[in-house]
């Protein structure tokens, strides 16, 4: 039996429908559909339009999910920057701002910056704060998703165990959900570009190297929210290079942004940041291109094992170094196709991200919307 | 609103309940609970008993899931043997038979053997064939789960694309589900011993090395049913050893049963089969113990990457070589704890299987029961 929440779930695909369409799709009587639509219209979650199509009498009314009924506040926080946004109920960003910040200044300072920025975006957009339906935040470390507390994050001093939702709810008293930013990038890319794919891996290649995974259409967070830690898997290319994690020979220590920049400097090139690396490669510097491709091979060696184990339909390459173009991808593909079994790679696609640097905020909004528009939640709200 | 199927889902935990319990748990009126129970009683899926407890009047009736209402035919087929069984609707085996067979004789021969054995077991148990509710089969290769057809299985000549369900339905016209046997072992171990764990990996170590994974409480099969292919991940211990897959340096080529037996023979020991290896280790042969522990370290090196990527709460070690005892596990633990991040291993447990060689048939039954007792399926049947 389709409740109002389940009727809304149907409409959330964005397609306008008549009462007759909804009656056919749900098996509900016209009068029940009418009553449930009335509740959704009253809550503003559905809007009504004229189809313009008449079958003899007056045109049938069309009903459509009103994605602008509420707004979701989102942020993807990195080590030195954040993307802060307002998203609509389809997850689409409607207003986006980039900030420079330092994650190491701790949760009080960083979260206060986010709150201030959200207030500014709401004001600029003329959206009343009482239209905020939820908050979604991505952080650059493992997060205990159920509580929204960072879980021993290596690059986030002062954040371990901090109650992020409690801090945000002082300003916005709505559901606040927190997750690892790479998980949210995977969720965002999946929901915005590959919603029909059950199994995918998104790999973020920047200063660090991490992954987010979708299994059976759902985010795979792992037992303590630590899944996708690609960067600290031992690389195949033998190396004693020390890693920030305290171990040696980790993938990140030889193929992450800092390692690539160091290799370029040892070749007499001026490379301090990931942008410098991308700039050199894009300018056609041969050494930089070779080093990047070699990093791609190292990453591909580790990903080949993940392909054997996880058997994804798609690997999405993202992060600031992915902007350097095809050489990184070429190296990754080379290793994966050399090492993985034919069955696991024959239909495997390895592509650049479609959502780019908006993946994280789209994922943050998707996470929030999945919870607040869950049918039973909607039903409770409408009673 | 709880349908009869959802009422049954509640009762499937095995706990007896009164009408009052069910009314409280579902929010349904007593009279609705009564009507739905009547339908389930009529179908034989629920049975009724006397609680013996009176609250003044006559004792309240107790209702319990009747796991013996129907039977599921199951088989776990390996390269040279099969476990064939009848299971009840809780997944528990009620009658088990071991067979020797050769998977390479092809699907017609092998499946006819299984069908014959199921008929024999039914007859011996005095169970009428019309009580068979479904069939679940595990095969030693990748399977396209939706169609039940093996998908390019390397050690199963003649099976590629073969319609296994169609063959079985000639004899038993019921739902027939097929999957990779290691997937089913993971499902069986999960449902019988760790149903509350969301993320686990089961590793089968025998002639081949493979894994089955549970993600978010569900089996992770991967895009083409090839997930869990641990054996053909490149081992960390540098090796040019050729592998049956056509590549070199695969984990299976240095740490699988054949590789271990070859190493033991090169040390002058008489080891042809996995039983020989287990026998030598159990008899306290020092060289055999060392070789097995070293294989454990190699397996652990690859599993360490899987732990970083998948972050399971539990790794279950299974398969014929696991019977050699603690040395294999010691080697595995050693590598995993050396290489994985503290966060991913602090609560990680690495244990022997609890369901042993019944894991596959329990998983096969669980797969079938999940489908045939799915609430909407039950509701359709009861109409």
């Amino acid at each position: 039996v389709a409740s109002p929440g389940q009727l809304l779930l149907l409409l959330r695909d964005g397609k306008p429908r008549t009462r007759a369409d909804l009656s056919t799709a749900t098996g509900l009587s016209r009068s029940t559909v009418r009553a449930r639509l009335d509740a959704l219209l009253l809550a503003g979650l559905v809007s009504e339009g004229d189809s313009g199509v008449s079958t003899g009498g007056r045109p049938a009314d069309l009903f459509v999910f009103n994605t602008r009924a509420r707004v979701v506040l989102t942020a993807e926080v990195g080590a030195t920057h954040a993307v802060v946004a307002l998203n609509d109920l389809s997850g689409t960003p409607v207003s986006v701002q980039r900030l420079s910040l330092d994650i190491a200044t701790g949760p009080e300072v960083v979260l206060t910056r986010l709150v201030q920025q959200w207030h500014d975006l709401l004001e600029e957009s003329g959206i009343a704060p009482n239209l905020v339906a939820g908050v979604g935040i991505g952080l650059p470390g493992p997060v205990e998703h159920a509580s929204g507390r960072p879980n021993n994050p290596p690059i986030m001093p002062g954040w371990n165990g901090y109650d992020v939702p409690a801090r945000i709810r002082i300003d916005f008293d709505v559901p606040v959900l927190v997750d690892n930013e790479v998980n949210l990038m995977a969720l965002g890319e999946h929901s915005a570009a590959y919603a029909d794919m059950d199994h995918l891996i998104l790999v973020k290649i920047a200063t660090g190297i991490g992954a987010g995974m979708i299994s059976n259409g759902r985010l795979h967070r792992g037992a303590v929210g630590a899944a996708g830690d690609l960067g600290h898997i031992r690389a195949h290319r033998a190396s004693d290079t020390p890693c920030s994690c305290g171990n040696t020979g980790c993938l990140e220590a030889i193929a992450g942004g800092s390692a690539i920049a160091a290799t370029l400097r040892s070749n007499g090139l001026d490379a301090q940041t990931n942008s410098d690396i991308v700039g050199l490669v894009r300018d056609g510097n041969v050494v930089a291109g070779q080093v990047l491709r070699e990093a791609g091979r190292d990453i591909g060696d580790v990903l080949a094992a993940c392909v054997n184990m996880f058997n994804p339909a798609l690997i999405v390459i993202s992060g600031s170094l992915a902007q350097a173009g095809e050489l990184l991808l070429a190296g990754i593909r080379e290793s994966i196709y050399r090492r993985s079994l034919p069955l696991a790679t024959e239909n495997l696609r390895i592509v650049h991200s479609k959502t780019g640097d908006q993946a994280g905020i789209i994922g943050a909004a998707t996470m929030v919307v999945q919870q607040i528009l869950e049918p039973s939640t909607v039903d409770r709200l409408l009673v």
Side-chain angles (χ1 to χ4, degrees), chain A:
Chain A
V1 186
S3 69
Q6 285 162 329
L7 211 62
L8 183 64
L9 188 62
L10 210 77
L11 286 163
R12 276 173 56 196
D13 67 6
K15 283 206 306 214
R17 289 179 176 83
T18 64
R19 286 194 187 88
D21 294 338
L22 290 167
S23 179
T24 307
T26 58
L28 294 174
S29 71
R30 293 281 187 104
S31 61
T32 307
V33 166
R34 183 179 302 270
R36 286 175 185 178
L37 279 173
D38 284 348
L40 292 167
L41 286 162
L42 194 66
L45 290 168
V46 165
S47 52
E48 189 174 0
D50 182 337
S51 69
V53 178
S54 163
T55 54
R58 67 179 186 84
D61 292 329
L62 273 179
F63 298 88
V64 65
F65 176 38
N66 178 16
T67 59
R68 300 296 172 104
R70 301 281 191 287
V71 70
V72 179
L73 311 181
T74 61
E76 184 201 337
V77 183
T80 59
H81 74 284
V83 184
V84 184
L86 311 183
N87 299 56
D88 71 16
L89 292 179
S90 75
T92 307
V94 293
S95 181
V96 181
Q97 181 65 48
R98 280 167 189 74
L99 300 182
S100 288
L101 53 71
D102 180 0
I103 192 87
T105 53
E108 305 285 350
V109 173
V110 170
L111 296 176
T112 301
R113 272 298 292 287
L114 300 185
V115 164
Q116 185 54 52
Q117 188 60 56
W118 284 321
H119 276 304
D120 290 352
L121 288 174
L122 286 168
E123 199 173 312
E124 286 162 23
S125 313
I127 296 171
N130 66 0
L131 289 178
V132 172
V135 179
I137 302 174
L139 294 175
V143 175
E144 187 186 74
H145 178 64
S147 69
R149 296 169 188 262
N151 191 353
N152 291 295
I155 64 161
M156 297 169 62
W159 288 78
N160 185 29
Y162 185 86
D163 190 341
V164 175
R167 166 63 191 89
I168 300 297
R169 277 199 296 264
I170 294 171
D171 286 80
F172 297 99
D173 190 18
V174 292
V176 178
L177 300 178
V178 190
D179 206 335
N180 170 269
E181 57 151 353
V182 190
N183 281 351
L184 294 183
M185 290 170 71
L187 189 60
E189 185 80 10
H190 180 254
S191 67
Y194 301 102
D196 55 343
M197 264 190 195
D198 283 341
H199 305 290
L200 70 80
I201 300 179
L202 177 136
V203 183
K204 180 185 175 186
I205 307 170
T207 304
I209 300 175
M213 285 174 285
I214 302 288
S215 160
N216 291 313
R218 290 180 58 193
L219 195 54
H220 174 89
R221 296 187 168 96
V224 295
D229 189 4
L230 208 61
H232 302 287
I233 293 178
R234 184 160 57 176
H236 278 276
R237 181 149 62 96
S239 149
D240 292 330
T241 313
C243 182
S244 59
C245 74
N247 229 320
T248 57
C250 295
L251 177 63
E252 197 168 296
I254 67 166
S258 307
I260 294 174
T263 306
L264 295 181
R265 286 196 301 275
S266 73
N267 279 278
L269 293 166
D270 179 23
Q272 303 299 328
T273 66
N274 294 339
S275 315
D276 296 340
I277 300 169
V278 171
L280 283 165
V281 175
R282 285 198 171 165
D283 289 348
N285 183 291
V286 174
V287 172
Q290 286 171 337
V291 170
L292 197 74
R293 182 164 186 149
E294 184 64 20
R297 286 193 197 99
D298 290 329
I299 295 166
D301 277 338
V302 169
L303 276 176
C306 300
V307 166
N308 275 17
M309 197 63 188
F310 196 76
N311 182 208
L314 182 76
I315 296 178
V316 178
I317 305 297
S318 189
S320 55
L321 288 178
Q323 295 165 18
E326 286 302 314
L327 286 169
L328 185 70
L329 241 73
I332 291 172
R333 288 199 182 102
E334 192 185 319
S335 293
I336 290 179
Y337 288 117
R338 190 178 61 227
R339 271 314 305 185
S340 299
L341 283 191
L343 179 61
T345 49
E346 67 183 354
N347 295 311
L348 173 67
R349 291 166 57 203
I350 304 170
V351 299
H352 277 119
S353 166
K354 288 190 182 177
T355 54
D357 66 357
Q358 301 205 329
I361 53 171
I362 295 172
T366 302
M367 166 176 72
V368 171
V369 170
Q370 278 177 354
Q371 173 166 320
I372 63 178
L373 292 191
E374 206 269 316
S376 63
T377 311
V378 171
D379 294 343
R380 270 197 306 276
L381 283 174
L382 294 183
V383 167

